[in-house]
Amino acid sequence: QLQLQQSGPGLVKPSETLSLNCSVSGGSISSSNHFWGWIRQPPGKELEWIGNFYYSGDAYYNPSLKSRVTISVDMSKSQFSLRLDSVTAADTALYFCAGGGYASGSYESWGQGALVTVSS
Amino acid sequence: DIQMTQSPSSLSASLGDRVTIICRASQNIDKFLNWYQQKPGKAPKVLIYAASTLQSGTPSRFSGSGSGTEFTLTISSLQPEDFATYFCQQSFTTALFTFGPGTKVDIK
């Protein structure tokens, strides 16, 4: 059973970069059985898919965020990361990392979530 | 882009009630549809994947059906721990996942 642990700052200034990490345990981050994703949820609102990173090395992003977002994997640290540039107050949200299963196509394991507030 | 809608957006039900939530996709997604349960302040938890397959650990009172553009999540007998928000999510397109807006189930 995969376990995901998120880390990163809870407060980011407008126009700066949001960076979050997700450490994976209980399984291999380099496994071809899994893909890695980020999802966010503004307070009181619905879930918004940010993007996924696949074993092939391909990454796919929500078109609404594509110009500002990067998801990367560091296999040596068994962690994957989210970078979101030029943030505004609209990026304030609860951010989740998640591990998906190729067989199911679903996010089977989730991080605990991290509230990131964009404010000066 | 594939858009997902859910109905109703919220419902009130009593313990033991049968509850049905509908999820519709804007185009054919075959059976690439997953259902999640989320409680306040917590991460979602997958209940059903591929439209009708129960994730390990999901109680048997939950069931899913459908294919193409219309899908259903049914709770056969609502239990206290089932009061939560339920989201559908399509994984038909690897390059672009989308979630439904959610259905909040609360106590009547």
Side-chain angles (χ1 to χ4, degrees):
Chain A
Q1 177 82 14
L2 288 175
Q3 294 184 358
L4 280 62
Q5 180 70 37
Q6 298 179 221
S7 59
L11 181 64
V12 181
K13 291 182 168 54
S15 80
E16 296 191 345
T17 295
L18 180 160
S19 294
L20 294 172
N21 295 318
C22 187
S23 296
V24 177
S25 60
S28 173
I29 198 168
S30 60
S31 167
S32 60
N33 294 324
H34 298 292
F35 58 92
W36 311 104
W38 289 93
I39 299 97
R40 72 181 184 179
Q41 187 172 37
K45 296 189 177 180
E46 59 195 72
L47 297 167
E48 179 181 27
W49 179 74
I50 297 173
N52 288 341
F53 187 97
Y54 291 88
Y55 173 77
S56 62
D58 294 327
Y60 299 98
Y61 305 117
N62 189 319
S64 68
L65 301 170
K66 188 174 183 178
S67 63
R68 300 192 291 129
V69 68
T70 303
I71 296 174
S72 58
V73 171
D74 186 334
M75 294 187 183
S76 67
K77 295 182 179 179
S78 195
Q79 71 179 29
F80 62 105
S81 302
L82 171 69
R83 174 189 172 105
L84 183 64
D85 297 325
S86 305
V87 297
T88 69
D91 295 309
T92 293
L94 186 58
Y95 285 76
F96 296 100
C97 64
Y102 269 109
S104 70
S106 67
Y107 292 114
E108 299 170 349
S109 303
W110 293 71
Q112 77 274 25
L115 178 61
V116 179
T117 301
V118 179
S119 175
S120 54
Chain B
D1 297 2
I2 298 174
Q3 307 300 319
M4 308 300 293
T5 59
Q6 287 182 235
S7 60
S9 57
S10 65
L11 66 91
S12 295
S14 301
L15 293 177
D17 281 355
R18 182 182 183 88
V19 169
T20 299
I21 298 168
I22 294 173
C23 175
R24 292 186 175 91
S26 60
Q27 64 187 72
N28 183 1
I29 59 169
D30 195 0
K31 291 195 169 190
F32 292 88
L33 190 284
N34 309 308
W35 288 100
Y36 298 84
Q37 177 193 67
Q38 186 184 31
K39 296 184 178 179
K42 300 294 186 182
K45 178 175 71 171
V46 63
L47 298 174
I48 289 170
Y49 63 90
S52 61
T53 302
L54 263 62
Q55 176 72 2
S56 174
T58 299
S60 59
R61 63 182 179 274
F62 290 90
S63 64
S65 64
S67 66
T69 61
E70 186 160 320
F71 302 85
T72 300
L73 172 70
T74 300
I75 310 172
S76 61
S77 178
L78 200 64
Q79 298 302 301
E81 59 269 31
D82 300 337
F83 292 99
T85 301
Y86 294 85
F87 295 92
C88 60
Q89 174 243 327
Q90 67 82 16
S91 55
F92 180 76
T93 53
T94 301
L96 180 53
F97 285 9
T98 44
F99 288 91
T103 296
K104 184 176 181 180
V105 177
D106 61 21
I107 302 173
K108 182 183 285 186

